[in-house]
Amino acid sequence: AQKITQTQPGMFVQEKEAVTLDCTYDTSDQSYGLFWYKQPSSGEMIFLIYQGSYDEQNATEGRYSLNFQKARKSANLVISASQLGDSAMYFCAMREAYTDKLIFGTGTRLQVFP
Amino acid sequence: NAGVMQNPRHLVRRRGQEARLRCSPMKGHSHVYWYRQLPEEGLKFMVYLQKENIIDESGMPKERFSAEFPKEGPSILRIQQVVRGDSAAYFCASSPRVSPEHYGYTFGSGTRLTVV
């Protein structure tokens, strides 16, 4: 069965530092997509970044980059130059091949301190 | 350019009542997905609909839950005879076509259902 694992329930980082949020996935499919979402305390789900299984380069979106290691089945999110506004829950998700369901991990709560 | 609109944002129901959650997808989006988030958990897929069709309801509880996406109007997630365990945040997402890729699914802000 396909599964997303986020092993860090909580992370702390100082403002302006970089932080890596871990995500590993389990699938036997060759075609899949990996997503990261941010959920601030207000509750909405904000799309951050996407990586396709056939993409050869790591995805980047501004201060967000995805460290995609296909052989290790990991898709870690790197946030550079953390800001106080980055404090939120972060969810890793995988789109099942040939369906449109997203499978979510349990999330990592990131707290950025001054 | 409104995003995915969900209402109400907060809903309180007594045990045994019905809850109706509404989702208006982004303009031009014809695919709607419902997810449930229990406290301190990730989102869990419930159902995927296109206009007038249920495509995948494998995540829907067998009883009391139903969903529709009529030709006109918003998608509705209906929970009959609510119980305390139904208390959760319910999110709707929309996409313009099958298998959205780099732009992701667009989520609404969710409806927080509290059953008292």
Side-chain angles (χ1 to χ4, degrees):
Chain A
Q2 291 161 321
K3 187 178 178 183
I4 292 282
T5 301
Q6 294 180 257
T7 56
Q8 305 156 314
M11 290 284 285
F12 288 89
V13 66
Q14 190 166 29
E15 201 177 6
K16 300 179 185 176
E17 296 294 310
V19 63
T20 298
L21 306 183
D22 294 342
C23 172
T24 58
Y25 59 93
D26 188 15
T27 182
S28 56
D29 295 319
Q30 297 301 309
S31 175
Y32 50 89
L34 297 158
F35 299 78
W36 277 93
Y37 286 87
K38 173 184 178 181
Q39 187 177 44
S41 57
S42 51
E44 69 268 32
M45 294 291 287
I46 302 168
F47 167 72
L48 295 178
I49 198 167
Y50 169 84
Q51 180 85 40
S53 57
Y54 293 117
D55 295 341
E56 294 187 352
Q57 293 197 337
N58 287 344
T60 60
E61 290 286 348
R63 294 186 299 112
Y64 304 109
S65 60
L66 199 152
N67 185 358
F68 182 45
Q69 297 188 36
K70 195 169 182 177
R72 298 177 64 180
K73 294 189 175 178
S74 74
N76 298 340
L77 177 70
V78 180
I79 305 174
S80 62
S82 298
Q83 301 172 357
L84 295 178
D86 293 335
S87 295
M89 282 290 286
Y90 288 81
F91 291 98
C92 180
M94 177 171 63
R95 176 177 57 83
E96 291 186 352
Y98 313 115
T99 76
D100 285 288
K101 300 179 201 179
L102 288 179
I103 301 166
F104 283 83
T106 51
T108 296
R109 184 175 299 280
L110 176 66
Q111 295 192 26
V112 182
F113 59 93
Chain B
N1 187 16
V4 177
M5 304 300 293
Q6 288 190 250
N7 64 81
R9 286 295 305 271
H10 300 275
L11 182 62
V12 180
R13 284 288 178 266
R14 296 186 183 278
R15 281 179 294 170
Q17 290 185 320
E18 178 179 287
R20 279 182 179 247
L21 288 63
R22 294 175 186 78
C23 169
S24 296
M26 280 187 71
K27 188 175 180 180
H29 287 195
S30 57
H31 300 251
V32 165
Y33 315 81
W34 285 93
Y35 288 81
R36 176 165 64 174
Q37 185 181 28
L38 295 171
E40 304 302 317
E41 293 188 12
L43 279 67
K44 297 280 196 301
F45 170 80
M46 298 182 75
V47 62
Y48 162 36
L49 309 105
Q50 294 178 26
K51 288 280 187 182
E52 300 183 282
N53 282 307
I54 296 175
I55 306 301
D56 183 343
E57 56 181 348
S58 57
M60 288 276 273
K62 299 295 181 203
E63 297 178 349
R64 302 187 298 108
F65 285 72
S66 62
E68 62 177 8
F69 189 17
K71 188 176 180 181
E72 301 290 337
S75 176
I76 305 286
L77 179 67
R78 183 182 177 207
I79 311 172
Q80 295 177 290
Q81 299 175 337
V82 296
V83 301
R84 288 224 171 104
D86 297 332
S87 295
Y90 292 82
F91 287 91
C92 170
S94 73
S95 70
R97 60 177 177 84
V98 175
S99 302
E101 293 183 345
H102 66 279
Y103 48 84
Y105 304 76
T106 304
F107 278 86
S109 296
T111 293
R112 272 95 189 140
L113 172 66
T114 302
V115 179
V116 298

